[in-house]
Amino acid sequence: MNDPTPGQDRIRDAASGDNPADEAARAGRLNLLTAGLTLLAAGVCLFLAWKAVSSLLVIFAGVLFASFLDACALALAPVLPVNRPWRLTLVVLLLTALLAFALVWGAGKLPEQTRLLLKVMDTQLDVLQAHLLSFGVDLFGPEGGRDFTRWFFSDQGRFFSHAQMVIGTASNFLTDALVILFLGILFAFDPASYRESLVLLIRRPYRARVRDVMNEMGNVLRLWFVGQVIRIVLMTLCVWPILYLIGLPGPFVLGLQAGLSNFIPYLGPIVAAVPIGLVAMPLGLSVMVWAVGIYTAVQSLEGYVIGPLIQRQAVELPPAWTLVAIVLLGALFGVMGIALAMPLVAIGRVAVLRFYVEDCLGDRLGAPVEGMPVKSGGIAWTLWPGRHQR
């Protein structure tokens, strides 16, 4: 008598429909649905990020300021062996006192020097316009683009429109500045918790790698910002006395704008030379040549010798890529994009090298991810700002 079990098994399999072809088709449909939903979610996230890009840049500026505060607290560790929150509090109080002193000191001098410089520059622009008109070149257009009285008061509606625009711009600037300050302070006092809240969104096997790369990004931001502050201070302290000895009016304002121009590499120093040349024009050709020539020499020394020595530990980028990033981010996001182009490119470079070149392509660049503790004053510090342990 034949065994009926095989026939019953075939009938059961046919009834259930669980054959390998159906399972493969079902898995293919599931994978296709997953890929589609993933692409849709990525598209929605990119759209929302594009619409909120100004807010995201403000948040990034807050992170950058937090890295500076942490670097200052870390520098005080060998001198002041107290807990990190106390050192951060001292840094915030010192910066507040320094800002208050600068405002009090500059309230009586900066407005007067700024008005004098604007008056001199306006006069020299008139002279330059007259010279160009002799060659048939109209610099400001047929209606005189610098006639601000006519621009404001030609009709009352235009005046109130421009006044509203100026007030709105000033209020937005102050709001963004306050948000950056408070975000920087909050991020600096507890950066590890904010980092871990992002790491938790990553799958468990990749969390350690993402954490190490974020540590390296934090180190790059910290070194870059500290280096920029040192370069700005050095440039201001060099240009200010030189312009004062030459005899230019408003030497401190000119030196300050020359120092701040280093925040935007390559393009900033070129733009900063224009006010110096305009202010030196009424003092004679020789004075203008001396002023612009000495400024160019100092800027070249800073840009080609001092700057690379300061920034070599932070990030090394080809100049062409830096200029491309400045132009693109400036065209897309305005002044904020120009100011934050360099740090954005710096951390973007770290992400590309670690996640794509090393993890996806399998190339080892020889530079280890800098997430290992570094001893400083009895405390093991990681390269992410604020993460330490006894």
PDB file of all heavy atoms in Angstrom, residues 331-357:
ATOM      1  N   ALA A 331      26.315  82.444  -3.201  1.00  0.00           N
ATOM      2  CA  ALA A 331      25.211  82.616  -4.147  1.00  0.00           C
ATOM      3  C   ALA A 331      23.929  81.981  -3.630  1.00  0.00           C
ATOM      4  O   ALA A 331      22.828  82.496  -3.869  1.00  0.00           O
ATOM      5  CB  ALA A 331      25.594  82.022  -5.504  1.00  0.00           C
ATOM      6  N   LEU A 332      24.039  80.871  -2.900  1.00  0.00           N
ATOM      7  CA  LEU A 332      22.851  80.180  -2.424  1.00  0.00           C
ATOM      8  C   LEU A 332      22.300  80.781  -1.138  1.00  0.00           C
ATOM      9  O   LEU A 332      21.078  80.944  -0.994  1.00  0.00           O
ATOM     10  CB  LEU A 332      23.176  78.694  -2.200  1.00  0.00           C
ATOM     11  CG  LEU A 332      23.452  77.865  -3.460  1.00  0.00           C
ATOM     12  CD1 LEU A 332      23.890  76.454  -3.062  1.00  0.00           C
ATOM     13  CD2 LEU A 332      22.224  77.798  -4.349  1.00  0.00           C
ATOM     14  N   PHE A 333      23.168  81.124  -0.202  1.00  0.00           N
ATOM     15  CA  PHE A 333      22.725  81.471   1.145  1.00  0.00           C
ATOM     16  C   PHE A 333      23.156  82.853   1.606  1.00  0.00           C
ATOM     17  O   PHE A 333      22.958  83.199   2.772  1.00  0.00           O
ATOM     18  CB  PHE A 333      23.231  80.424   2.141  1.00  0.00           C
ATOM     19  CG  PHE A 333      22.952  79.014   1.720  1.00  0.00           C
ATOM     20  CD1 PHE A 333      23.968  78.077   1.659  1.00  0.00           C
ATOM     21  CD2 PHE A 333      21.680  78.631   1.358  1.00  0.00           C
ATOM     22  CE1 PHE A 333      23.723  76.766   1.261  1.00  0.00           C
ATOM     23  CE2 PHE A 333      21.414  77.327   0.961  1.00  0.00           C
ATOM     24  CZ  PHE A 333      22.433  76.399   0.909  1.00  0.00           C
ATOM     25  N   GLY A 334      23.790  83.635   0.751  1.00  0.00           N
ATOM     26  CA  GLY A 334      24.110  85.010   1.108  1.00  0.00           C
ATOM     27  C   GLY A 334      25.325  85.140   2.003  1.00  0.00           C
ATOM     28  O   GLY A 334      26.249  84.325   1.966  1.00  0.00           O
ATOM     29  N   VAL A 335      25.282  86.178   2.857  1.00  0.00           N
ATOM     30  CA  VAL A 335      26.432  86.497   3.710  1.00  0.00           C
ATOM     31  C   VAL A 335      26.734  85.360   4.689  1.00  0.00           C
ATOM     32  O   VAL A 335      27.894  85.031   4.939  1.00  0.00           O
ATOM     33  CB  VAL A 335      26.169  87.813   4.460  1.00  0.00           C
ATOM     34  CG1 VAL A 335      27.329  88.144   5.404  1.00  0.00           C
ATOM     35  CG2 VAL A 335      25.961  88.958   3.474  1.00  0.00           C
ATOM     36  N   MET A 336      25.688  84.758   5.240  1.00  0.00           N
ATOM     37  CA  MET A 336      25.907  83.672   6.182  1.00  0.00           C
ATOM     38  C   MET A 336      26.596  82.490   5.509  1.00  0.00           C
ATOM     39  O   MET A 336      27.469  81.832   6.107  1.00  0.00           O
ATOM     40  CB  MET A 336      24.575  83.220   6.778  1.00  0.00           C
ATOM     41  CG  MET A 336      24.692  82.195   7.875  1.00  0.00           C
ATOM     42  SD  MET A 336      25.385  82.848   9.411  1.00  0.00           S
ATOM     43  CE  MET A 336      23.938  83.650  10.078  1.00  0.00           C
ATOM     44  N   GLY A 337      26.243  82.214   4.276  1.00  0.00           N
ATOM     45  CA  GLY A 337      26.911  81.138   3.553  1.00  0.00           C
ATOM     46  C   GLY A 337      28.373  81.423   3.303  1.00  0.00           C
ATOM     47  O   GLY A 337      29.221  80.531   3.386  1.00  0.00           O
ATOM     48  N   ILE A 338      28.699  82.691   2.985  1.00  0.00           N
ATOM     49  CA  ILE A 338      30.099  83.067   2.784  1.00  0.00           C
ATOM     50  C   ILE A 338      30.890  82.925   4.078  1.00  0.00           C
ATOM     51  O   ILE A 338      32.009  82.391   4.097  1.00  0.00           O
ATOM     52  CB  ILE A 338      30.189  84.498   2.242  1.00  0.00           C
ATOM     53  CG1 ILE A 338      29.557  84.580   0.851  1.00  0.00           C
ATOM     54  CG2 ILE A 338      31.631  84.982   2.195  1.00  0.00           C
ATOM     55  CD1 ILE A 338      29.495  85.990   0.286  1.00  0.00           C
ATOM     56  N   ALA A 339      30.312  83.390   5.194  1.00  0.00           N
ATOM     57  CA  ALA A 339      31.029  83.360   6.467  1.00  0.00           C
ATOM     58  C   ALA A 339      31.271  81.936   6.957  1.00  0.00           C
ATOM     59  O   ALA A 339      32.304  81.657   7.579  1.00  0.00           O
ATOM     60  CB  ALA A 339      30.249  84.152   7.516  1.00  0.00           C
ATOM     61  N   LEU A 340      30.336  81.023   6.681  1.00  0.00           N
ATOM     62  CA  LEU A 340      30.446  79.656   7.189  1.00  0.00           C
ATOM     63  C   LEU A 340      30.924  78.666   6.142  1.00  0.00           C
ATOM     64  O   LEU A 340      30.885  77.448   6.381  1.00  0.00           O
ATOM     65  CB  LEU A 340      29.093  79.202   7.744  1.00  0.00           C
ATOM     66  CG  LEU A 340      28.533  80.015   8.909  1.00  0.00           C
ATOM     67  CD1 LEU A 340      27.170  79.486   9.311  1.00  0.00           C
ATOM     68  CD2 LEU A 340      29.483  80.007  10.097  1.00  0.00           C
ATOM     69  N   ALA A 341      31.365  79.163   4.997  1.00  0.00           N
ATOM     70  CA  ALA A 341      31.771  78.256   3.921  1.00  0.00           C
ATOM     71  C   ALA A 341      32.952  77.393   4.339  1.00  0.00           C
ATOM     72  O   ALA A 341      32.955  76.172   4.113  1.00  0.00           O
ATOM     73  CB  ALA A 341      32.111  79.058   2.660  1.00  0.00           C
ATOM     74  N   MET A 342      33.956  78.000   4.932  1.00  0.00           N
ATOM     75  CA  MET A 342      35.178  77.256   5.278  1.00  0.00           C
ATOM     76  C   MET A 342      34.922  76.156   6.307  1.00  0.00           C
ATOM     77  O   MET A 342      35.323  75.007   6.103  1.00  0.00           O
ATOM     78  CB  MET A 342      36.237  78.233   5.778  1.00  0.00           C
ATOM     79  CG  MET A 342      37.617  77.646   5.897  1.00  0.00           C
ATOM     80  SD  MET A 342      38.316  77.254   4.284  1.00  0.00           S
ATOM     81  CE  MET A 342      39.928  76.645   4.780  1.00  0.00           C
ATOM     82  N   PRO A 343      34.256  76.423   7.446  1.00  0.00           N
ATOM     83  CA  PRO A 343      34.005  75.319   8.382  1.00  0.00           C
ATOM     84  C   PRO A 343      33.070  74.257   7.820  1.00  0.00           C
ATOM     85  O   PRO A 343      33.222  73.075   8.129  1.00  0.00           O
ATOM     86  CB  PRO A 343      33.397  76.017   9.606  1.00  0.00           C
ATOM     87  CG  PRO A 343      32.917  77.334   9.123  1.00  0.00           C
ATOM     88  CD  PRO A 343      33.838  77.720   8.011  1.00  0.00           C
ATOM     89  N   LEU A 344      32.103  74.654   6.989  1.00  0.00           N
ATOM     90  CA  LEU A 344      31.224  73.659   6.383  1.00  0.00           C
ATOM     91  C   LEU A 344      32.010  72.727   5.454  1.00  0.00           C
ATOM     92  O   LEU A 344      31.810  71.502   5.460  1.00  0.00           O
ATOM     93  CB  LEU A 344      30.107  74.352   5.601  1.00  0.00           C
ATOM     94  CG  LEU A 344      28.973  74.952   6.438  1.00  0.00           C
ATOM     95  CD1 LEU A 344      28.040  75.765   5.557  1.00  0.00           C
ATOM     96  CD2 LEU A 344      28.190  73.873   7.161  1.00  0.00           C
ATOM     97  N   VAL A 345      32.906  73.304   4.665  1.00  0.00           N
ATOM     98  CA  VAL A 345      33.735  72.486   3.793  1.00  0.00           C
ATOM     99  C   VAL A 345      34.669  71.601   4.618  1.00  0.00           C
ATOM    100  O   VAL A 345      34.941  70.442   4.256  1.00  0.00           O
ATOM    101  CB  VAL A 345      34.531  73.375   2.825  1.00  0.00           C
ATOM    102  CG1 VAL A 345      35.551  72.565   2.037  1.00  0.00           C
ATOM    103  CG2 VAL A 345      33.585  74.072   1.855  1.00  0.00           C
ATOM    104  N   ALA A 346      35.156  72.123   5.736  1.00  0.00           N
ATOM    105  CA  ALA A 346      36.084  71.351   6.573  1.00  0.00           C
ATOM    106  C   ALA A 346      35.416  70.096   7.130  1.00  0.00           C
ATOM    107  O   ALA A 346      35.957  68.987   7.026  1.00  0.00           O
ATOM    108  CB  ALA A 346      36.612  72.229   7.708  1.00  0.00           C
ATOM    109  N   ILE A 347      34.223  70.228   7.717  1.00  0.00           N
ATOM    110  CA  ILE A 347      33.568  69.040   8.270  1.00  0.00           C
ATOM    111  C   ILE A 347      33.002  68.166   7.150  1.00  0.00           C
ATOM    112  O   ILE A 347      32.923  66.941   7.297  1.00  0.00           O
ATOM    113  CB  ILE A 347      32.473  69.421   9.276  1.00  0.00           C
ATOM    114  CG1 ILE A 347      31.356  70.207   8.592  1.00  0.00           C
ATOM    115  CG2 ILE A 347      33.057  70.196  10.438  1.00  0.00           C
ATOM    116  CD1 ILE A 347      30.156  70.416   9.495  1.00  0.00           C
ATOM    117  N   GLY A 348      32.621  68.782   6.019  1.00  0.00           N
ATOM    118  CA  GLY A 348      32.187  67.985   4.885  1.00  0.00           C
ATOM    119  C   GLY A 348      33.310  67.114   4.349  1.00  0.00           C
ATOM    120  O   GLY A 348      33.102  65.961   3.961  1.00  0.00           O
ATOM    121  N   ARG A 349      34.517  67.657   4.348  1.00  0.00           N
ATOM    122  CA  ARG A 349      35.686  66.884   3.916  1.00  0.00           C
ATOM    123  C   ARG A 349      35.917  65.692   4.837  1.00  0.00           C
ATOM    124  O   ARG A 349      36.209  64.577   4.372  1.00  0.00           O
ATOM    125  CB  ARG A 349      36.910  67.794   3.892  1.00  0.00           C
ATOM    126  CG  ARG A 349      38.219  67.090   3.577  1.00  0.00           C
ATOM    127  CD  ARG A 349      39.360  68.087   3.581  1.00  0.00           C
ATOM    128  NE  ARG A 349      40.637  67.420   3.335  1.00  0.00           N
ATOM    129  CZ  ARG A 349      41.413  66.918   4.282  1.00  0.00           C
ATOM    130  NH1 ARG A 349      41.030  66.999   5.548  1.00  0.00           N
ATOM    131  NH2 ARG A 349      42.557  66.340   3.985  1.00  0.00           N
ATOM    132  N   VAL A 350      35.791  65.911   6.148  1.00  0.00           N
ATOM    133  CA  VAL A 350      35.961  64.807   7.090  1.00  0.00           C
ATOM    134  C   VAL A 350      34.916  63.719   6.840  1.00  0.00           C
ATOM    135  O   VAL A 350      35.228  62.521   6.825  1.00  0.00           O
ATOM    136  CB  VAL A 350      35.873  65.331   8.535  1.00  0.00           C
ATOM    137  CG1 VAL A 350      35.869  64.173   9.530  1.00  0.00           C
ATOM    138  CG2 VAL A 350      37.027  66.269   8.836  1.00  0.00           C
ATOM    139  N   ALA A 351      33.654  64.125   6.625  1.00  0.00           N
ATOM    140  CA  ALA A 351      32.589  63.152   6.397  1.00  0.00           C
ATOM    141  C   ALA A 351      32.836  62.354   5.117  1.00  0.00           C
ATOM    142  O   ALA A 351      32.658  61.126   5.089  1.00  0.00           O
ATOM    143  CB  ALA A 351      31.237  63.866   6.329  1.00  0.00           C
ATOM    144  N   VAL A 352      33.256  63.019   4.045  1.00  0.00           N
ATOM    145  CA  VAL A 352      33.499  62.328   2.778  1.00  0.00           C
ATOM    146  C   VAL A 352      34.665  61.350   2.907  1.00  0.00           C
ATOM    147  O   VAL A 352      34.594  60.201   2.454  1.00  0.00           O
ATOM    148  CB  VAL A 352      33.754  63.351   1.653  1.00  0.00           C
ATOM    149  CG1 VAL A 352      34.247  62.660   0.398  1.00  0.00           C
ATOM    150  CG2 VAL A 352      32.482  64.131   1.347  1.00  0.00           C
ATOM    151  N   LEU A 353      35.745  61.796   3.544  1.00  0.00           N
ATOM    152  CA  LEU A 353      36.913  60.926   3.678  1.00  0.00           C
ATOM    153  C   LEU A 353      36.618  59.707   4.532  1.00  0.00           C
ATOM    154  O   LEU A 353      37.024  58.588   4.195  1.00  0.00           O
ATOM    155  CB  LEU A 353      38.082  61.710   4.276  1.00  0.00           C
ATOM    156  CG  LEU A 353      38.713  62.787   3.392  1.00  0.00           C
ATOM    157  CD1 LEU A 353      39.843  63.485   4.136  1.00  0.00           C
ATOM    158  CD2 LEU A 353      39.232  62.196   2.088  1.00  0.00           C
ATOM    159  N   ARG A 354      35.913  59.903   5.638  1.00  0.00           N
ATOM    160  CA  ARG A 354      35.689  58.778   6.558  1.00  0.00           C
ATOM    161  C   ARG A 354      34.568  57.849   6.091  1.00  0.00           C
ATOM    162  O   ARG A 354      34.726  56.634   6.060  1.00  0.00           O
ATOM    163  CB  ARG A 354      35.359  59.305   7.966  1.00  0.00           C
ATOM    164  CG  ARG A 354      36.454  60.184   8.558  1.00  0.00           C
ATOM    165  CD  ARG A 354      37.783  59.479   8.623  1.00  0.00           C
ATOM    166  NE  ARG A 354      38.801  60.348   9.165  1.00  0.00           N
ATOM    167  CZ  ARG A 354      40.018  60.477   8.671  1.00  0.00           C
ATOM    168  NH1 ARG A 354      40.372  59.800   7.598  1.00  0.00           N
ATOM    169  NH2 ARG A 354      40.895  61.283   9.233  1.00  0.00           N
ATOM    170  N   PHE A 355      33.419  58.426   5.721  1.00  0.00           N
ATOM    171  CA  PHE A 355      32.265  57.588   5.400  1.00  0.00           C
ATOM    172  C   PHE A 355      32.312  57.036   3.975  1.00  0.00           C
ATOM    173  O   PHE A 355      31.910  55.900   3.748  1.00  0.00           O
ATOM    174  CB  PHE A 355      30.971  58.378   5.602  1.00  0.00           C
ATOM    175  CG  PHE A 355      30.677  58.693   7.035  1.00  0.00           C
ATOM    176  CD1 PHE A 355      30.254  59.961   7.415  1.00  0.00           C
ATOM    177  CD2 PHE A 355      30.816  57.722   8.018  1.00  0.00           C
ATOM    178  CE1 PHE A 355      29.980  60.252   8.738  1.00  0.00           C
ATOM    179  CE2 PHE A 355      30.547  58.002   9.337  1.00  0.00           C
ATOM    180  CZ  PHE A 355      30.128  59.267   9.704  1.00  0.00           C
ATOM    181  N   TYR A 356      32.784  57.829   3.024  1.00  0.00           N
ATOM    182  CA  TYR A 356      32.762  57.387   1.630  1.00  0.00           C
ATOM    183  C   TYR A 356      34.077  56.738   1.210  1.00  0.00           C
ATOM    184  O   TYR A 356      34.107  55.582   0.778  1.00  0.00           O
ATOM    185  CB  TYR A 356      32.437  58.553   0.710  1.00  0.00           C
ATOM    186  CG  TYR A 356      32.398  58.165  -0.759  1.00  0.00           C
ATOM    187  CD1 TYR A 356      31.357  57.383  -1.250  1.00  0.00           C
ATOM    188  CD2 TYR A 356      33.400  58.554  -1.635  1.00  0.00           C
ATOM    189  CE1 TYR A 356      31.318  57.002  -2.576  1.00  0.00           C
ATOM    190  CE2 TYR A 356      33.370  58.182  -2.970  1.00  0.00           C
ATOM    191  CZ  TYR A 356      32.333  57.405  -3.434  1.00  0.00           C
ATOM    192  OH  TYR A 356      32.305  57.025  -4.743  1.00  0.00           O
ATOM    193  N   VAL A 357      35.181  57.491   1.366  1.00  0.00           N
ATOM    194  CA  VAL A 357      36.462  56.975   0.874  1.00  0.00           C
ATOM    195  C   VAL A 357      36.902  55.764   1.679  1.00  0.00           C
ATOM    196  O   VAL A 357      37.322  54.746   1.114  1.00  0.00           O
ATOM    197  CB  VAL A 357      37.528  58.095   0.917  1.00  0.00           C
ATOM    198  CG1 VAL A 357      38.889  57.550   0.512  1.00  0.00           C
ATOM    199  CG2 VAL A 357      37.126  59.246   0.010  1.00  0.00           C
TER     200      VAL A 357
END
